[in-house]
Every structure is written in structure tokens, then in C-alpha cells.
Amino acid sequence: MSRRLSDVGNLYEFIKNEEQKSLCTMSFLSEKYQDLTEWKKEARFKIRNLLHYSPKRCDLNPQVVEKKDKGDYFQEKVYFFTASKVRVPAYVLIPKNVDYPVPGIVVLHDHGGMYYWGKEKVVETENEHPMLQEFKNKCYSGRSIANELVRRGYVAISIDAFYFGERRFIPHPASQEYKLLQKVKNDSSKYIELYNRISWEKEELVARTIFLSGFTWPGVMLWDDIRTVDYLTSRYEVDPDRIGCVGLSIGGYRAAHLSALDERIKVSCVVCWMSSYRPMIKKHVKYHTWMIYIPGLYKYLDLPDIVSLTAPNALLVIAGSKDPIFPLEGVKMAFKKIEKVYLKANVGHKFRGLIYNTPHEFNAEMQDYAYRWIQKWI
């Protein structure tokens, strides 16, 4: 019966047996850990080693290429370096009529199979394409969450993650994919649909190439997010002691790991990206992108262990009971484990786990709660 229920058929029993050897030996709930600071130091060291991507901290060398007055806030287009040859684009939204410095929020965009845009999924832009508007309607109740935050008095920043937006995959001119795209009008809905399909098909190949080359996709993504905090805290408008992050889907994955790895994040909102791994393995791996895998990590830490590294800082995790990507059983298991870690760390009041009767989304009701949570802690 279990073989029929699993997406990996008869191989599931072997995989299950091996998975059960992953005892998450570095969980803070282990009796060997009593001091939160020492546990975090050891666990972070392990995660960073397994990410296999640790460029030297180069000069950010930021360049503001555009600044627009948007009425109640300014919008800047900025480029900065996260590694010596990695230049990242970002939108920075700065509120007006406030006393600087103010809190800063790293707004982490999702995956959603929409590779054509990155930061634009969470930042309001002029003359938005109908497909982008439709995407925001589906995932964010039509809102641009970075703009929601800047209007609440925060400096908000969003970058393009690797493989999205300005950092997206471009087929070789001699390739069949490039020729197919040339036959369609650039920026048309048909072009964007075709581009997203090609990028989806190529994602596995890009991941395999990255892994074979000796580093990991999460390593790149999370390092860029940490360097984004470096840039955000360098701004005179931002109070470096009041930094938060928020994200949906893979943005939630990024928020969970950013607050786990970077002590400067004082409040984190992880939306629709949480489960213990065990209930996911039989049926849910097929829903997940290649961008999240850190080989070997589960032997030491489960996902709720990782996000619990946020303690003693504030953590909000939101899930949807109708979200097909994560088993509800796994979500509840994760919430219980995070709660136990926070209680052991004597900061139980700083964790909140919420389940809404919704699909995979960050709707207006969820957002309003998240903004109140952020306001409470920074």
C-alpha cells in the first residue's frame, strides 16, 4: 500500500529506511544543548559548511541608477555587489515624513513558476503587465507587499533572487529555446508563458550543474539575502538594530533561513513554507523547487530546527490548511517543535504559528496580521 501511495513507487521503502536514520542530532531539543548561544553557533557553522558557498565579503559598491518620487515615498533602483563578480539589482522604498533612522524590512519574493519577474512581484511598478497583476491578485490579494510596508513607515528592499527577473536564464542564441522565443513578440503574454515554461524545464539542469560544480543553489540565494541586509543596514535612513524580513513560498524559505543565519533580523515572517520533512517525503517533494536542497542537512536539522535559530528574536510562521505543497500533518509537527524550542529558550511569547483555511498564498488578512507582528517587535 505504501509503495502505491508514494510518488517514488517501490523505491520509497528504501528511501524511508534511510530517512529514518536522519535523527536531527543538532536540534536544540537534544539534551546535549542547554545554552542557546552555543547551540546557534554550532548549528550555523554546520549549515554554512553544507551550503558550500562562502565568497569573501567584497565592497558592496552600491550604485543608485534611478530615483522616483512616488508621493509618500521614494523608490530607488540600486545595484550592489554580493560577491566579487555578482551584481544584484534591487528596489529600495524609503518613506517620507518620518524621523530617520527607521526600521528596515527585507522583502523576499516568491517562486511561483514566474521567473520573468522577481522583485516586481512584491514592488509596485508603473504600467504593470496584466500577467504580473494577475499573479499578484492570486498570491497577494492584489497588493505589492513592499509598498504596504513603506507606507507603514519602513524602508523596504527587495532584490532579484538568482534565476529571476534581471538575473533570469537566457538561452544560448544557437539553442532551440532561443529560436522559439525569437518567434514570439517580446514581453507579450505568450512570450512570458513560453519563457517561464523554458525556465521551469531548465531549472533542474541548472541545479545539477551547480551541485556538480561544488556549491549549492541555496548557498547562492541565502548569501545574496545576507548581503542585502549588509546593504540595508548601511543606509542612513535605516536603524541597523531594527531589521525584519518577510516572504511567501520560496520567499518564506528565504526568510526562515535568513533569520536563522543572521542575528540582525529581529523579526521574521515565514509564509507558506513550513513543515517537518518526514511527512513531505512520500508525496510532496514533487511540488518543490530545486532551489531549496542542502544535501545532508536533514541528518542534523529539520526545517523547524533551522527556523528556530531565529530565537530569541521574534518569529511568525503562517500556513494554509489547503496548501497542497505542504502536508498539514507536517505543518502541525513543525509548529509544535518550534514552540518547544522557543519555550526551552525562555522566549515562548516570541513565536506564533498560524494556520488559515486558505491555499498557497499571502492574502490581505495574513498580511495585516504579519504587519501587526512586525510592528510589535521592531
Side-chain angles (χ1 to χ4, degrees):
M1 178 64 71
S2 62
R3 288 197 297 268
R4 291 198 299 272
L5 289 175
S6 173
D7 293 323
V8 292
N10 68 308
L11 303 180
Y12 175 67
E13 291 302 323
F14 166 72
I15 293 171
K16 178 182 177 182
N17 289 337
E18 290 300 309
E19 177 271 327
Q20 290 178 344
K21 297 176 185 177
S22 296
L23 300 177
C24 302
T25 56
M26 294 184 70
S27 172
F28 187 57
L29 299 182
S30 170
E31 291 183 359
K32 67 179 180 179
Y33 295 113
Q34 297 301 323
D35 183 87
L36 182 68
T37 301
E38 288 302 312
W39 169 66
K40 291 173 69 169
K41 181 179 180 181
E42 185 177 337
R44 284 173 171 169
F45 183 78
K46 174 61 70 175
I47 294 170
R48 291 187 178 109
N49 278 348
L50 291 173
L51 287 171
H52 294 288
Y53 183 79
S54 55
K56 291 183 179 179
R57 260 190 163 87
C58 64
D59 189 333
L60 291 163
N61 195 19
Q63 181 182 11
V64 178
V65 297
E66 179 182 89
K67 185 170 184 176
K68 294 182 178 181
D69 188 331
K70 307 294 284 188
D72 51 352
Y73 67 93
F74 292 107
Q75 176 181 294
E76 292 184 358
K77 176 75 174 293
V78 183
Y79 290 87
F80 57 87
F81 284 88
T82 60
S84 62
K85 296 183 180 180
V86 182
R87 190 168 181 252
V88 169
Y91 281 128
V92 183
L93 308 184
I94 306 114
K96 292 184 180 179
N97 304 316
V98 295
D99 294 326
Y100 302 123
V102 298
I105 308 291
V106 182
V107 184
L108 303 153
H109 71 73
D110 58 84
H111 185 300
M114 181 65 77
Y115 306 89
Y116 192 78
W117 291 289
K119 57 192 179 300
E120 292 82 7
K121 298 178 190 178
V122 294
V123 175
E124 183 180 309
T125 52
E126 297 174 359
N127 303 315
E128 288 189 347
H129 195 283
M131 285 186 68
L132 180 57
Q133 293 176 345
E134 181 182 356
F135 188 88
K136 290 184 180 182
N137 290 338
K138 178 183 177 182
C139 297
Y140 298 101
S141 292
R143 295 176 171 182
S144 299
I145 60 174
N147 296 78
E148 295 293 320
L149 287 160
V150 72
R151 292 187 176 109
R152 286 167 169 79
Y154 305 103
V155 173
I157 186 170
S158 183
I159 69 167
D160 283 334
F162 177 72
Y163 207 67
F164 293 92
E166 295 179 51
R167 303 174 73 191
R168 59 182 178 258
F169 166 73
I170 300 174
H172 191 279
S175 68
Q176 184 64 29
E177 293 87 357
Y178 186 87
K179 294 173 182 176
L180 285 172
L181 287 168
Q182 292 300 107
K183 295 178 180 179
V184 185
K185 183 181 178 182
N186 192 24
D187 293 336
S188 67
S189 295
K190 188 173 181 180
Y191 180 95
I192 295 168
E193 288 174 359
L194 176 61
Y195 175 81
N196 286 333
R197 179 176 64 79
I198 290 170
S199 295
W200 176 266
E201 293 169 352
K202 289 292 184 181
E203 185 181 313
E204 179 181 349
L205 176 59
V206 173
R208 283 190 286 157
T209 305
I210 286 173
F211 292 141
L212 183 62
S213 299
F215 61 109
T216 66
W217 201 317
V220 177
M221 191 163 55
L222 300 176
W223 179 255
D224 288 343
D225 292 340
I226 290 169
R227 298 297 335 254
T228 300
V229 179
D230 289 346
Y231 174 69
L232 183 62
T233 55
S234 75
R235 304 264 323 202
Y236 80 89
E237 304 98 333
V238 176
D239 183 346
D241 294 321
R242 293 189 289 164
I243 304 297
C245 65
V246 59
L248 162 68
S249 193
I250 203 170
Y253 173 92
R254 295 164 65 195
H257 287 72
L258 178 58
S259 60
L261 293 171
D262 197 322
E263 200 74 30
R264 294 172 294 181
I265 301 295
K266 296 302 189 292
V267 57
S268 179
C269 299
V270 177
V271 185
C272 289
W273 197 280
M274 184 51 59
S275 173
S276 286
Y277 284 136
R278 179 160 290 170
M280 291 175 57
I281 289 171
K282 182 185 288 187
K283 293 288 292 181
H284 288 78
V285 175
K286 64 184 177 184
Y287 297 115
H288 292 276
T289 169
W290 282 88
M291 300 177 187
I292 68 165
Y293 298 108
I294 306 174
L297 182 57
Y298 183 38
K299 291 182 180 296
Y300 307 98
L301 297 160
D302 198 354
L303 182 55
D305 294 311
I306 295 167
V307 74
S308 294
L309 286 161
T310 303
N313 296 322
L315 172 65
L316 171 67
V317 183
I318 297 176
S321 63
K322 297 179 181 178
D323 187 342
I325 298 178
F326 297 99
L328 189 57
E329 173 194 4
V331 174
K332 292 178 179 179
M333 287 173 61
F335 282 5
K336 287 180 181 178
K337 193 168 196 180
I338 298 167
E339 183 179 25
K340 287 180 180 178
V341 171
Y342 266 68
L343 287 172
K344 185 175 179 179
N346 297 315
V347 288
H349 63 294
K350 284 192 166 185
F351 166 66
R352 185 67 53 83
L354 299 176
I355 300 175
Y356 288 78
N357 187 31
T358 59
H360 192 75
E361 66 180 10
F362 190 20
N363 64 35
E365 183 182 0
M366 295 170 168
Q367 289 175 43
D368 291 342
Y369 190 96
Y371 302 148
R372 291 194 297 272
W373 181 261
I374 291 170
Q375 178 67 32
K376 179 178 181 178
W377 297 108
I378 62 169

